[in-house]
Amino acid sequence: MSERPHRITAPEQLRALLGEPTAAAAGKTRTSLHEHDRAWLAAARFCLMATSHADGSCDVSPKGDPAGFTLVLDDTTIAIPERPGNRRADGFFNILANPHIGLLYVVPGRTDTLRINGRAELVSDAPFFDDMVVKGHRPQLAVIVSIDEVFYHCSKSFLRSSLWKPETWQPETAPSRPQIMRSLEGSTKSVEELEAYYGPGYEESIYKG
């Protein structure tokens, strides 16, 4: 790089560069769920969960299940089940150290998103766990989020990326999951063995612990 980047180091520099938000953007944050938010959560099958450790290190983890997987407990509280995974639990350890959490809810085909920020706690059982059973799997863990902020995010990033346009999809341009396993994650299995593992039977096993 021939020239040093022009770094932004102060809030006033950032505001001078970006300008002021519109009144609608600045004032759209709410502290409790509206009926539209409840309907969005009932339709959502996927969200991104952002957490941060007390030392500032961050994590974003995808969460997905059938539509309505996030339970609305009341106007300011939601619950998200945990399903079998790789057991790293990075985000959960973050929550134990720092309860602040950010959630981004996606509805397939929609270019706007729902954002929820709040404070999280982990629970190992509760009566509502019975409502979280999917394909016989009752979660061992759920995240309860007390809502501080809820608002909708506009469509621009999804429109710029053409995310929902199948004609733009090129999954083969990125390394396959078996290739990543072999090269970066220490697997001793052949690519063929890994391709078989991630074949049709893989989806059938995703609710097994």
Side-chain angles (χ1 to χ4, degrees):
M1 185 178 297
S2 58
E3 296 183 10
R4 295 183 63 183
H6 295 274
R7 290 187 172 86
I8 297 170
T9 57
E12 55 270 22
Q13 288 178 289
L14 182 61
R15 186 54 69 198
L17 181 65
L18 299 180
E20 296 293 334
T22 64
K28 67 181 178 179
T29 302
R30 294 168 282 108
T31 57
S32 61
L33 296 172
H34 184 274
E35 61 180 297
H36 293 335
D37 307 325
R38 289 172 174 262
W40 191 279
L41 292 172
R45 307 182 224 164
F46 180 84
C47 78
L48 295 169
M49 177 183 293
T51 58
S52 176
H53 198 272
D55 64 7
S57 57
C58 298
D59 180 75
V60 178
S61 178
K63 304 297 178 184
D65 248 336
F69 73 99
T70 294
L71 294 187
V72 175
L73 303 183
D74 57 46
D75 285 346
T76 59
T77 317
I78 59 176
I80 304 165
E82 173 63 0
R83 302 298 180 187
N86 60 17
R87 301 184 181 90
R88 283 182 56 103
D90 300 282
F92 297 147
F93 282 108
N94 284 350
I95 289 170
L96 293 177
N98 174 9
H100 294 284
I101 191 170
L103 302 166
L104 180 72
Y105 281 92
V106 177
V107 172
R110 287 291 295 266
T111 52
D112 46 345
T113 51
L114 178 67
R115 290 171 58 173
I116 295 177
N117 299 319
R119 287 153 293 115
E121 61 178 319
L122 307 179
V123 294
S124 60
D125 200 7
F128 60 77
F129 275 39
D130 292 337
D131 298 323
M132 292 179 162
V133 176
V134 175
K135 295 186 176 180
H137 182 267
R138 189 178 190 273
Q140 294 181 313
L141 173 71
V143 181
I144 296 180
V145 178
S146 299
I147 296 170
D148 291 330
E149 297 180 316
V150 55
F151 58 98
Y152 288 92
H153 197 106
C154 75
S155 302
K156 291 178 181 177
S157 60
F158 279 72
L159 294 173
R160 291 177 182 130
S161 64
S162 299
L163 187 68
W164 298 125
K165 295 181 179 179
E167 65 272 19
T168 70
W169 296 351
Q170 295 180 305
E172 70 284 350
T173 61
S176 68
R177 182 68 189 134
Q179 289 172 328
I180 293 168
M181 287 279 288
R182 282 279 295 172
S183 299
L184 301 176
E185 297 176 9
S187 176
T188 58
K189 294 182 178 180
S190 67
V191 171
E192 291 74 20
E193 288 175 312
L194 291 169
E195 286 175 343
Y197 174 76
Y198 285 110
Y202 184 72
E203 186 171 356
E204 298 174 3
S205 69
I206 56 177
Y207 287 97
K208 297 177 182 179

